[in-house]
Amino acid sequence: MRWAILLVVLLALPSIHALEDGQIKLLAVSDFGDRQVGTTADLFLRVEPGSGEVFIESHPITRLDTQISTRFANEVVCQQLQLDCNEFNFFYTIQAESSIIGGPSAGAAVAVLTYSVLEEVPVPDTVTISGTVNSGGLIGPVGGLADKIKVASDVGAEKVLIPTGERFVNSENQTLDLVQSAGDYDVEVVEVADIWEAISHATDTVVEREVRDITLDDRYTEVMSELATQLCTNAESLEAEITADMMDDEAFERGQNLLIRGQSAFENQTLYSSASFCFGAGIQYRFLLLQDENLTIEQILKQVNELYAELDQFESSLPEPETISDAQIFAVVEERVREARDRLNATETIIEQNKEQGVFNLAYAYERLNSAEAWSEFLGQSGPSVTDQQLAAACASKIEEAQERYQYGQLFVTRDISTVQNGIIRAQEDQANGDYETCILRSAKAKAEANTFLGVFGVRRDRLSEVIDRKLEVVQHDIVTQSEAGTFPVVGFSYFEYSNSLKESDQFSSLLYAEYALELSNLNLEKEHTPSVPLDISSDSGSSIGIIIVIAIIGVAIIILGIRRTKKQPARVRSFKQVRRASIGKKPKRTAKRKPARKVTKKVAKKRTAKKRTVKRKPAKRVAKKRAAKRKSR
């Protein structure tokens, strides 16, 4: 009966496409006393139907940074190449003959191998790559390339891909050209800037990132123009109140510079940049005017309380967001309201010790409220709707991503990155309060800040402008993609525009806003969680009914077999190690198989009966008497 049921199930099951495994050679370095030597390792990948989980196993055990960089490289290649990785689980295995130095240099190889397996485009065993993967799919610098190229030739590699800008290295007080010197080892060295170039060179398959012009949403242009006009007009009216005796103050000069930049940006129709510059000018002018009033501490605190009341009234008037666009704009408005409150709180705290700083905080709070009111004009956007469940899931996901990037940054970045941690903490507070819109914004910004620090790690200053340009190309592509999907990323585009305006004057801030734009142009809030193995049910009623019948047969078969199994023997409980081995593709140790039972003939049965009869059993009474005697003797 059981075999009949299994046969029915197997015949009814649809064919399942088994994904190919993949492998690529890794280039690494090992420590030998006071020197490092190039070595190799093998990276394997198995992809199975699943729910987007990533598993990493290594022999010998690698450091945490290698594990985090593997997960991040997987995330980047899936996102940037628009691969639906939520339908699969990824099992990466690193095998090396000796202990290797951990690090992020395997990231580029992970990205190439992931694409190779998913798209079934093999990577020749004569090709290898060394480089990190940064946000947006850019390939970042790594160390030890000269040693890695030499060992690559020793294992038969013919082509080695390295990060763009790493061609020239210092070796023994000399500049070494890796492209030319590789000819001594019969190896071709190619510089690659991003995962698109890396995949194209590794697989001989052309993979391009199409960069198209952004078509501005009409409502965006209309409302942002009003926002910039409002903030610039406000700054100009404050400037008109400045008297001659205030013009020698540095704050006035800063305000003038910012106002001129704001007016120029408006003429060039870079509207968010115009609004930002005029907002900064308004702070400087209002600070001067408040200072000139020579307010007492009591008068300052009175204004603080009045502004608190205005903020409360404004916040209570905000409508609940119903679309994806509104959720992002609502988060921006809320962020500005909270910044204003923070400044008022800082004023109350510091006013006794530093009156000037307290007045500046008050001026900032006034202008932040003006900015929040201007941004609220964007609310009421059309587009795909969003639910609290989707927002909560996106909030939790972004916090997790930000935490991982923060941990990763702590391993490499020498600068203080506590601002990243502070952003995560505040996002967690928003999550606990159910403020999912601001949670998403804050955690996305925290992740972007961590990516900014990591993105410039090891990058020479003369290459920073190239990194910014490439990052902005990726952002531009994402904005076009989101727009075509029916949602114009208002906040993402605003930060994209502002990043462009800062390229010449402040490169680090430009890169930071490019990272903000990248994160906020790729939220995909409308995407629900998919089941582990999704079913592709066509619109044809006949095929749908057939699939339903198959599912019903499988369900009944499993129930029947389960009942029969529970009657015969208890369920076998697997240990944690067995479960873990199974989850990463390692087979658990096999237990010895029992030999099949021999057919019992009449002759065999007769012999067994005879043997049983020859066994002498002691009478129960005699055994009891002996036990009693032993007890007495004791």
Side-chain angles (χ1 to χ4, degrees):
M1 178 63 182
R2 181 174 62 180
W3 298 112
I5 294 171
L6 283 174
L7 181 61
V8 171
V9 172
L10 290 174
L11 290 175
L13 280 174
S15 60
I16 299 175
H17 177 66
L19 296 174
E20 296 288 339
D21 293 356
Q23 176 183 356
I24 192 172
K25 187 71 71 176
L26 293 180
L27 301 179
V29 290
S30 293
D31 267 330
F32 285 89
D34 59 346
R35 64 192 181 94
Q36 293 182 350
V37 176
T39 187
T40 61
D42 291 299
L43 173 65
F44 301 90
L45 170 60
R46 190 178 79 257
V47 179
E48 296 180 355
S51 56
E53 298 293 331
V54 176
F55 303 91
I56 303 115
E57 185 182 22
S58 59
H59 308 279
I61 297 175
T62 58
R63 295 186 333 200
L64 177 65
D65 49 10
T66 302
Q67 298 176 36
I68 296 177
S69 66
T70 300
R71 291 173 59 85
F72 186 66
N74 174 278
E75 174 193 328
V76 168
V77 74
C78 290
Q79 184 182 72
Q80 292 301 323
L81 296 175
Q82 297 180 2
L83 305 174
D84 192 359
C85 296
N86 289 325
E87 295 185 1
F88 308 107
N89 285 341
F90 299 82
F91 301 87
Y92 296 93
T93 303
I94 299 174
Q95 291 184 351
E97 294 182 359
S98 59
S99 177
I100 60 177
I101 297 176
S105 63
V110 170
V112 169
L113 184 57
T114 303
Y115 179 87
S116 167
V117 173
L118 289 178
E119 296 297 306
E120 298 183 8
V121 181
V123 178
D125 55 11
T126 56
V127 176
T128 185
I129 182 172
S130 184
T132 66
V133 168
N134 293 324
S135 60
L138 273 61
I139 305 294
V142 293
L145 283 174
D147 293 328
K148 290 177 180 179
I149 292 170
K150 184 178 183 303
V151 78
S153 69
D154 295 340
V155 297
E158 297 175 2
K159 182 189 289 185
V160 178
L161 309 180
I162 66 172
T164 296
E166 298 300 299
R167 173 176 177 172
F168 299 98
V169 298
N170 292 322
S171 178
E172 299 178 355
N173 297 323
Q174 292 183 343
T175 300
L176 178 66
D177 185 341
L178 295 178
V179 174
Q180 288 187 355
S181 63
D184 299 336
Y185 308 114
D186 295 326
V187 174
E188 179 190 8
V189 172
V190 180
E191 290 184 290
V192 290
D194 51 45
I195 56 176
W196 292 270
E197 291 184 3
I199 292 168
S200 297
H201 283 287
T203 63
D204 290 330
T205 301
V206 178
V207 182
E208 295 181 338
R209 182 186 68 249
E210 186 180 0
V211 180
R212 290 168 290 167
D213 292 336
I214 298 171
T215 302
L216 286 181
D217 181 78
D218 291 338
R219 178 163 168 75
Y220 174 86
T221 304
E222 177 187 348
V223 178
M224 187 57 76
S225 178
E226 292 176 5
L227 189 152
T229 300
Q230 181 178 332
L231 293 179
C232 289
T233 302
N234 173 68
E236 289 166 355
S237 64
L238 291 172
E239 180 199 23
E241 297 181 35
I242 301 295
T243 57
D245 58 317
M246 302 181 204
M247 293 181 180
D248 292 334
D249 198 292
E250 290 181 1
F252 177 75
E253 184 179 349
R254 289 192 295 267
Q256 288 290 93
N257 290 334
L258 287 168
L259 182 57
I260 291 170
R261 294 182 71 179
Q263 292 166 337
S264 174
F266 190 88
E267 290 176 4
N268 295 326
Q269 287 298 287
T270 50
L271 302 173
Y272 177 80
S273 301
S274 173
S276 297
F277 292 135
C278 288
F279 162 73
I283 294 173
Q284 300 298 327
Y285 293 143
R286 190 175 291 274
F287 169 63
L288 279 174
L289 293 170
L290 288 173
Q291 280 279 80
D292 188 62
E293 290 183 33
N294 198 23
L295 300 170
T296 64
I297 291 178
E298 289 76 17
Q299 290 172 322
I300 293 172
L301 293 177
K302 182 183 177 183
Q303 289 197 32
V304 167
N305 290 328
E306 289 173 351
L307 197 49
Y308 268 133
E310 285 187 49
L311 287 166
D312 291 340
Q313 184 178 0
F314 168 71
E315 193 173 24
S316 64
S317 68
L318 295 175
E320 287 295 322
E322 296 181 355
T323 64
I324 294 172
S325 295
D326 270 2
Q328 295 185 43
I329 296 164
F330 183 86
V332 172
V333 174
E334 273 291 321
E335 181 187 41
R336 280 151 175 73
V337 169
R338 294 182 186 192
E339 284 181 7
R341 282 205 181 96
D342 289 342
R343 290 287 181 160
L344 294 178
N345 183 57
T347 298
E348 292 176 313
T349 304
I350 204 174
I351 194 67
E352 297 282 354
Q353 294 79 26
N354 191 336
K355 184 178 176 182
E356 183 177 341
Q357 184 60 47
V359 171
F360 181 83
N361 288 335
L362 178 60
Y364 189 101
Y366 270 117
E367 295 308 306
R368 218 43 174 157
L369 174 58
N370 285 337
S371 174
E373 290 172 339
W375 268 95
S376 68
E377 295 297 320
F378 270 111
L379 291 171
Q381 296 277 318
S382 60
S385 60
V386 66
T387 64
D388 283 343
Q389 290 78 10
Q390 289 172 321
L391 293 172
C395 163
S397 177
K398 278 298 173 187
I399 287 176
E400 184 180 346
E401 292 171 14
Q403 286 173 326
E404 190 170 81
R405 297 306 285 166
Y406 173 65
Q407 292 171 2
Y408 191 40
Q410 283 185 306
L411 298 173
F412 296 102
V413 179
T414 56
R415 296 177 59 176
D416 179 23
I417 59 172
S418 59
T419 54
V420 178
Q421 186 181 26
N422 294 337
I424 294 172
I425 291 172
R426 302 200 74 173
Q428 289 171 328
E429 291 172 354
D430 291 333
Q431 183 186 35
N433 295 329
D435 299 329
Y436 301 125
E437 296 90 353
T438 48
C439 165
I440 293 168
L441 181 62
R442 281 177 167 167
S443 53
K445 282 190 168 185
K447 180 185 175 184
E449 287 179 29
N451 284 336
T452 303
F453 289 116
L454 289 165
V456 297
F457 178 74
V459 177
R460 298 193 308 272
R461 184 174 291 275
D462 61 332
R463 288 200 59 243
L464 196 55
S465 59
E466 180 185 347
V467 171
I468 295 170
D469 287 338
R470 287 189 174 273
K471 190 82 69 175
L472 289 173
E473 284 181 7
V474 176
V475 176
Q476 183 171 336
H477 174 270
D478 289 350
I479 290 172
V480 171
T481 302
Q482 289 293 314
S483 299
E484 291 176 348
T487 303
F488 184 78
V490 172
V491 184
F493 176 77
S494 298
Y495 289 149
F496 166 78
E497 180 192 280
Y498 194 49
S499 172
N500 265 305
S501 68
L502 294 173
K503 280 196 302 185
E504 301 299 327
S505 59
D506 188 346
Q507 288 186 323
F508 186 82
S509 294
S510 175
L511 184 59
L512 175 62
Y513 276 91
E515 292 287 358
Y516 285 166
L518 184 63
E519 282 300 310
L520 296 168
S521 299
N522 255 319
L523 289 177
N524 292 326
L525 299 181
E526 76 276 14
K527 192 168 186 177
E528 296 279 7
H529 292 291
T530 54
S532 296
V533 186
L535 294 172
D536 183 16
I537 300 178
S538 66
S539 58
D540 180 70
S541 60
S543 60
S544 299
I545 293 171
I547 291 174
I548 293 171
I549 292 172
V550 169
I551 295 171
I553 293 172
I554 294 172
V556 172
I558 291 171
I559 293 171
I560 294 173
L561 291 176
I563 293 172
R564 291 173 63 87
R565 183 173 179 81
T566 53
K567 286 181 179 179
K568 288 186 175 182
Q569 62 183 23
R572 180 170 63 89
V573 179
R574 295 195 298 171
S575 67
F576 172 76
K577 286 186 177 179
Q578 286 174 316
V579 174
R580 183 176 178 277
R581 286 193 189 107
S583 70
I584 59 176
K586 235 184 172 185
K587 294 181 179 179
K589 293 182 180 178
R590 293 182 177 178
T591 55
K593 291 183 178 179
R594 291 185 178 183
K595 293 181 179 179
R598 189 174 56 176
K599 190 175 181 181
V600 180
T601 62
K602 288 183 179 181
K603 189 175 180 181
V604 173
K606 192 173 181 181
K607 284 183 179 181
R608 288 181 181 175
T609 307
K611 284 182 181 180
K612 286 181 181 179
R613 288 173 180 171
T614 58
V615 178
K616 294 181 180 180
R617 295 184 180 277
K618 294 180 181 180
K621 287 184 180 179
R622 195 185 303 172
V623 173
K625 285 182 180 180
K626 280 193 173 185
R627 286 177 179 171
K630 282 184 180 180
R631 288 195 195 100
K632 287 181 180 180
S633 64
R634 288 174 185 171

